[in-house]
């Protein structure tokens, strides 16, 4: 499963988006400095055996040793949304921590396949600084006591971020959807303007391969021949959820086949790509008479150089979530189409490609979740959230709105 699903909860409510600027020399930290010396990243065996990677004690110890004693004065709390539910994440541990009474986020990558390597965090920070300079509200890493933007403890990458104000919603009003789309298009413009040397530093850093079968054609074949029959044989709610998700995937096969050649062709324009601009990653403020506005764009862990249409496809999908029925969704998608073309971010001939790009990326993920349910018996409550996030039926409806 991909790191794009390390989503943040909706209750980020304490720190303004502004941050103290990081000194320029911290934007280009050599990789060898971006980790603590080995003797500082070990603890006695008798203590280590009682510490579970990513639990509260482990988080406190990491904060104390790498960010300083003041960071471990209050016990970390698992991050949760307003309803008390944990964030939609299976590759990262997310903790609410406090520093001198101010709330922050501690994030640790728990799975080896989600690690991007020591070169990635400093490059990501430089992209974040670039976006902030273009007016995008982003959460930039809090430097460690020794000046780096992350540490790796036992092979697990850790960072501390400010908690930005605002909430995320899966069912935005048309005004909220419009605010998220405007900020998303501004972010896309900022990423198009990333300096060439910075893009060149990011380009060699690969995205982690988090599923065994990444080809959408082979994944659909598995869905048709093996997984959907197995889902139909299962009579519980897991089987029913898998049937719905796999049936929707197979309904998209004609669309993917129609654009197969275009999907296999290198993109017209490679650029720095956020890669994960779904609704969980836009925090919205709606205070008093001020209209809805974005207070934070989250989770740049899927940052890479690739097809910029992916970001625009995510924004179209977000516009299609406007919670006022088909007419509201149609108006939101039409507004995105108009604005993206007006600002030169999208061409008319690219509109039919947006949903195929997004669906093709999601097919292997949905199929891998179905394997977890039907073959591996890994029944995580998060899988239902991912099925909703990656709903192919919604994307087919958005495709019709984009091209009708």
């Amino acid at each position: 499963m991909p790191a794009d699903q390390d989503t943040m909860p909706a209750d980020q409510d304490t720190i303004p988006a502004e941050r103290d600027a990081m000194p320029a020399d911290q934007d280009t930290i050599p990789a060898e400095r971006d980790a603590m010396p080995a003797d500082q990243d070990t603890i006695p065996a008798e203590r280590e055996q009682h510490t579970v990677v990513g639990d509260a004690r482990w988080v406190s110890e990491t904060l104390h040793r790498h960010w300083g004693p003041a960071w471990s004065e209050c016990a970390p709390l698992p991050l949760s949304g307003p309803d008390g539910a944990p964030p939609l994440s299976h590759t990262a541990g997310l903790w609410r921590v406090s520093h001198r009474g101010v709330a922050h986020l501690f994030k640790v990558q728990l799975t080896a396949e989600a690690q991007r390597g020591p070169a990635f965090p400093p490059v990501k920070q430089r992209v974040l600084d670039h976006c902030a300079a273009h007016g995008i509200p982003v959460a930039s890493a809090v430097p460690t006591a020794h000046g780096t933007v992350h540490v790796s403890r036992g092979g697990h990458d850790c960072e501390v971020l400010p908690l930005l104000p605002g909430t995320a919603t899966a069912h935005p009003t048309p005004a909220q959807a419009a605010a998220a789309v405007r900020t998303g298009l501004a972010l896309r413009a900022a990423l198009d303007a990333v300096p060439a040397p910075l893009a060149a530093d990011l380009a060699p850093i690969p995205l982690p391969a988090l599923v065994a079968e990444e080809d959408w054609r082979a994944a659909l074949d598995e869905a048709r021949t093996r997984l959907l029959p197995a889902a139909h044989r299962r009579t519980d709610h897991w089987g029913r959820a898998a049937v719905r998700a796999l049936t929707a995937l197979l309904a998209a096969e004609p669309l993917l086949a129609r654009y197969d050649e275009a999907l296999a062709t290198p993109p017209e324009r490679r650029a720095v790509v956020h890669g994960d601009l779904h609704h969980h990653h836009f925090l919205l403020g709606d205070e008093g008479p001020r209209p809805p506005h974005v207070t934070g764009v989250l989770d740049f862990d899927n940052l890479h150089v690739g097809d910029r249409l992916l970001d625009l496809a995510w924004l179209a999908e977000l516009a299609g979530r406007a919670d006022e029925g088909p007419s509201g969704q149609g108006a939101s998608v039409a507004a995105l189409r108009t604005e993206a073309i007006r600002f030169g971010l999208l061409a008319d001939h690219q509109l039919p490609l947006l949903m195929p790009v997004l669906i093709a990326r999601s097919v292997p993920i949905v199929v891998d979740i179905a394997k977890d349910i039907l073959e591996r018996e890994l029944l995580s409550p998060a899988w239902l959230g991912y099925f909703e996030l990656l709903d192919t039926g919604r994307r087919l409806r958005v495709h019709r709105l984009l091209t009708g």
Side-chain angles (χ1 to χ4, degrees):
M1 294 289 299
D4 70 336
Q5 292 155 359
D6 293 338
T7 58
M8 298 286 290
D11 70 336
Q12 305 205 30
D13 55 5
T14 53
I15 305 271
E18 297 83 0
R19 72 175 186 97
D20 293 335
M22 180 178 286
D25 61 352
Q26 292 182 20
D27 282 347
T28 54
I29 300 168
E32 62 271 15
R33 282 189 56 214
D34 209 17
M36 287 294 288
D39 62 339
Q40 296 184 41
D41 202 31
T42 57
I43 55 179
E46 63 271 15
R47 287 183 58 202
E48 187 68 54
Q49 66 183 352
H50 297 298
T51 304
V52 177
V53 172
D55 72 2
R57 178 174 175 177
W58 190 94
V59 171
S60 289
E61 290 175 348
T62 305
L63 287 166
H64 184 93
R65 288 158 46 201
H66 295 288
W67 278 267
W71 284 89
S72 59
E73 291 174 352
C74 296
L77 298 173
L79 208 59
S80 61
D83 59 357
L88 188 62
S89 176
H90 74 287
T91 61
L94 302 171
W95 293 82
R96 190 183 185 98
V97 300
S98 182
H99 180 240
R100 296 192 171 96
V102 178
H104 290 72
L105 166 74
F106 178 91
K107 182 174 184 178
V108 51
Q109 295 293 348
L110 298 175
T111 58
E113 58 267 24
Q115 313 294 329
R116 298 292 301 272
F120 179 69
V123 173
K124 180 179 76 169
Q125 184 59 56
R126 290 162 60 197
V127 175
L128 288 169
D129 289 343
H130 168 85
C131 292
H134 282 71
I136 308 301
V138 294
S140 293
V142 176
T144 65
H146 56 288
T148 63
V149 293
H150 97 304
V151 296
S152 179
R153 179 179 175 189
H156 299 278
D157 288 344
C158 308
E159 63 181 340
V160 173
L161 303 162
L163 283 175
L164 303 181
T167 58
T169 176
H171 305 288
T173 66
Q176 290 174 326
V181 165
R182 281 195 302 272
T183 299
L185 292 176
L187 172 62
R188 186 59 260 159
L191 294 177
D192 285 341
V194 166
L198 177 51
D201 288 343
L202 177 62
I205 303 174
L207 281 170
L210 300 180
V211 295
E213 180 53 72
E214 294 188 297
D215 181 77
W216 65 264
R217 303 164 198 81
L220 277 181
D221 189 58
E222 288 186 284
R224 180 188 305 102
T225 61
R226 192 174 82 248
L227 295 172
L228 187 56
H232 278 296
R233 289 193 297 269
R234 189 161 182 155
T235 59
D236 60 4
H237 76 282
W238 291 108
R240 292 190 293 273
V243 166
R244 288 192 296 270
L246 295 171
T247 301
L249 280 189
L250 292 171
E253 188 169 17
L255 178 65
L256 295 177
R258 189 183 318 153
Y259 292 100
D260 185 15
E261 184 177 352
L263 291 170
T265 302
E268 292 180 24
R269 181 178 169 191
R270 283 171 59 82
V272 174
V273 178
H274 179 285
D276 207 15
L277 284 178
H278 55 70
H279 65 277
H280 286 288
H281 292 159
F282 288 90
L283 298 179
L284 293 158
D286 194 3
E287 308 93 16
R290 185 176 177 184
H293 57 284
V294 172
T295 56
V297 181
L298 308 178
D299 200 347
F300 283 69
D301 287 346
N302 266 353
L303 202 65
H304 66 283
V305 173
D307 189 353
R308 55 191 298 284
L309 291 185
L310 179 60
D311 285 346
L312 294 163
W314 272 117
L315 294 176
E317 199 263 1
L318 192 157
R321 286 178 173 271
D323 196 22
E324 286 197 2
S327 61
Q329 293 162 4
S332 293
V333 172
L336 170 131
R337 181 177 58 202
T338 299
E339 291 298 292
I341 291 173
R342 182 163 72 92
F343 288 110
L345 299 172
L346 187 65
D348 277 318
H349 73 276
Q350 295 172 318
L351 287 168
L353 274 174
L354 293 184
M355 289 303 102
V357 164
L358 195 56
I359 294 170
R361 295 290 184 106
S362 299
V363 166
I365 300 164
V366 174
V367 167
D368 199 64
I369 295 174
K371 290 178 183 177
D372 279 343
I373 293 170
L374 301 169
E375 298 180 344
R376 302 170 188 138
E377 285 295 320
L378 300 175
L379 305 180
S380 168
W383 296 161
L384 301 180
Y386 288 135
F387 279 160
E388 193 284 329
L389 177 68
L390 306 174
D391 179 22
T392 309
R394 180 175 55 249
R395 293 170 179 184
L396 291 174
R397 292 192 294 273
V398 170
H399 178 75
R400 292 190 288 270
L401 291 173
L402 283 167
T403 59

